[in-house]
Amino acid sequence: MRRKVRKVILPFFIVLLLTMIFVSCKVESKHKGFTLQNFKVVNGQLDSIIRGINDSTHILKQKGYVIILVLRVYDSKPEFCLTSAEKEAVSEKYIYLNNRRIVGYLDNGNDEPIIILSTDCNKYDFESTFYTFLNPTGKKKYFEYIYFPDNQYSLKNDGTGYPPSFFDPYFYYYRYQENNIVPVTYDR
């Protein structure tokens, strides 16, 4: 009787052990998602511009798109660049391709929050420049579509790199100068 039980149980445990080994060897291909901190706009002019962009453009009328606010300093003056992107393109095209820092998000009253990025990687400089326009809050939210992409620096089969991709989104630039936030136009 023991011999029969052993013959039945031994193959079961071997199959179970092999299944456990196979499942544990699966590796996630990329880290999916980041938890971002919420910010609130404390400058009335910037709040008005963001609400205007949010209400009057085609940006959020397309499913799967989000608004992106890029904060930067140009000629020693704070600038605010508003654009839109497909959710799946945010990480690769706007964060890692352009080497931008992930700051957080703004609740804009719609389903999709505004993602805040910065060209300034120094936290102290960022805070001293932009805390007069927006401040962090205690709220946080998980964004699955912001992730660390696989093979950022891909190679062709011959070992050479790919040329940069081309895309032409709309950009709305604003600069803070003389106590006003004014639109800025750049030649391409």
Side-chain angles (χ1 to χ4, degrees):
M1 183 71 164
R2 285 185 172 173
R3 201 174 262 180
K4 278 186 172 181
V5 171
R6 219 179 284 163
K7 284 184 179 181
V8 172
I9 292 179
L10 186 61
F12 172 75
F13 279 116
I14 290 174
V15 169
L16 181 64
L17 181 64
L18 291 174
T19 305
M20 289 173 49
I21 290 171
F22 177 73
V23 169
S24 68
C25 288
K26 278 191 170 182
V27 176
E28 186 68 28
S29 64
K30 57 182 151 187
H31 172 74
K32 277 288 202 178
F34 279 96
T35 300
L36 304 182
Q37 187 170 5
N38 179 261
F39 280 73
K40 66 178 179 178
V41 179
V42 294
N43 180 284
Q45 293 177 37
L46 182 60
D47 186 50
S48 177
I49 289 168
I50 290 172
R51 274 192 271 126
I53 291 286
N54 195 23
D55 293 340
S56 66
T57 62
H58 70 282
I59 289 175
L60 288 181
K61 294 178 177 58
Q62 300 177 28
K63 285 232 180 241
Y65 275 71
V66 293
I67 296 174
I68 299 170
L69 170 62
V70 181
L71 307 171
R72 71 181 196 153
V73 176
Y74 186 77
D75 283 343
S76 303
K77 296 179 180 135
E79 284 194 347
F80 311 90
C81 174
L82 288 149
T83 189
S84 68
E86 289 183 77
K87 286 181 184 178
E88 300 304 319
V90 171
S91 290
E92 292 181 20
K93 289 185 179 175
Y94 285 90
I95 297 171
Y96 296 104
L97 184 69
N98 293 305
N99 199 28
R100 292 189 176 128
R101 180 173 163 256
I102 304 168
V103 175
Y105 74 97
L106 292 171
D107 270 330
N108 64 354
N110 291 336
D111 293 337
E112 290 301 328
I114 296 171
I115 303 299
I116 306 170
L117 305 176
S118 175
T119 60
D120 192 348
C121 292
N122 184 308
K123 183 179 178 283
Y124 175 77
D125 290 344
F126 174 82
E127 289 174 345
S128 64
T129 303
F130 291 106
Y131 270 22
T132 57
F133 302 100
L134 28 99
N135 289 322
T137 68
K139 288 176 37 182
K140 293 182 180 177
K141 185 173 182 174
Y142 178 75
F143 291 85
E144 184 177 279
Y145 58 87
I146 298 177
Y147 57 87
F148 192 85
D150 285 341
N151 301 321
Q152 292 182 62
Y153 305 102
S154 5
L155 295 174
K156 295 181 193 175
N157 289 338
D158 65 357
T160 60
Y162 287 101
S165 57
F166 294 99
F167 63 100
D168 194 21
Y170 292 104
F171 290 97
Y172 302 93
Y173 285 97
Y174 297 88
R175 179 181 296 154
Y176 185 73
Q177 63 185 35
E178 299 170 9
N179 294 327
N180 288 312
I181 298 178
V182 296
V184 179
T185 306
Y186 290 105
D187 295 330
R188 289 185 181 222

